[in-house]
Every structure is written in C-alpha cells, then in structure tokens.
Amino acid sequence: MNDCVLRFDAEKAREACTDILAALSQPGNAERLARARELAGTDMVKVMREVFPIVTQIQLEVIQRFGFPGDGEGAAQFLQLVRSLEKEDGEVGRLSDQLRAHFLPPMTAPIHSIPASSTPQCNGASQP
C-alpha cells in the first residue's frame, strides 16, 4: 500500500466519493450510464454486465488521483477503507450510499400471492 493510501482519512474519503459522484454525473458518463441502465432494467445479471463495468471504470479513474492502483486491487482497497470510515463519519456513509446506488438497480419487493387456503386462520387454536 502506498503512502497516499495509508493517509486516506475521512476527509479524503469524502473528497474521493464526491469526485466519483461528479464524474458519474458528467454529461458523457451520465449518457452512457443511462443507456446501460435502460438496457439492463432491473435484471441484476444485465446490470452486472452493462452498468457495473462503466461505474467501475469511472471509479477507477478517480481513485487513482488518491493514490489507489487503477485496478481491481485498488477498487477493493478503496471500498474497504471507505467502509471502515463510514462508521466514523456520517457524511462518508451518505456519499458511499449514493455511490452504491449507482452499482445496484432500483429494487422493488416481489409481490407473492398466497393462496387463501394456505393463509393461517386466527381462531385462537394453535397450529401443529
């Protein structure tokens, strides 16, 4: 781990997360992400194939400015340090949540229909 990474504190985490969010919002990147999200919908496999690589590439470009390697190892180091700092600094946690939202599709709870015959009755008797 290089010296810049060793000095990565909550202030640097806030700055890095803010820079990543800004990069994700830049017009060219935002357009690429919008197309990828539209293509993927809420299908997690498609999100991993279409959206995840774009977000990861943008994140890797930014974290290099903070001393992290621009590869999977650097991304893992960054994530680990940010996660540890979330507990100390609420703003880091808030920004990290915003970043995480870029990686994951909007999720809705599945609606399961339960047949009426399998619904437990509340008649005071215990069921075996």
Side-chain angles (χ1 to χ4, degrees):
M1 214 179 278
N2 73 35
D3 193 43
C4 291
V5 173
L6 292 175
R7 293 189 311 234
F8 193 76
D9 58 8
E11 181 180 339
K12 292 284 187 194
R14 288 189 302 270
E15 185 180 345
C17 289
T18 300
D19 287 359
I20 295 167
L21 290 167
L24 291 167
S25 298
Q26 289 176 349
N29 292 335
E31 290 168 10
R32 287 175 45 211
L33 282 168
R35 281 193 303 272
R37 283 191 184 100
E38 184 177 329
L39 183 63
T42 58
D43 182 322
M44 185 55 91
V45 173
K46 288 181 181 178
V47 169
M48 296 300 288
R49 190 177 59 230
E50 303 295 333
V51 178
F52 191 84
I54 296 169
V55 176
T56 300
Q57 175 193 9
I58 294 166
Q59 177 177 302
L60 289 175
E61 291 169 3
V62 173
I63 66 173
Q64 289 180 76
R65 297 194 306 253
F66 293 87
F68 293 91
D71 57 15
E73 178 74 24
Q77 288 175 358
F78 175 76
L79 178 61
Q80 183 178 16
L81 286 169
V82 168
R83 288 290 222 165
S84 69
L85 292 167
E86 286 177 354
K87 298 172 185 107
E88 300 170 21
D89 189 293
E91 182 67 4
V92 172
R94 186 185 69 76
L95 292 167
S96 180
D97 287 345
Q98 289 179 23
L99 282 177
R100 228 179 332 274
H102 282 277
F103 284 97
L104 301 172
M107 301 299 284
T108 56
I111 299 173
H112 299 287
S113 61
I114 301 172
S117 61
S118 66
T119 305
Q121 300 297 315
C122 297
N123 60 8
S126 61
Q127 299 288 327

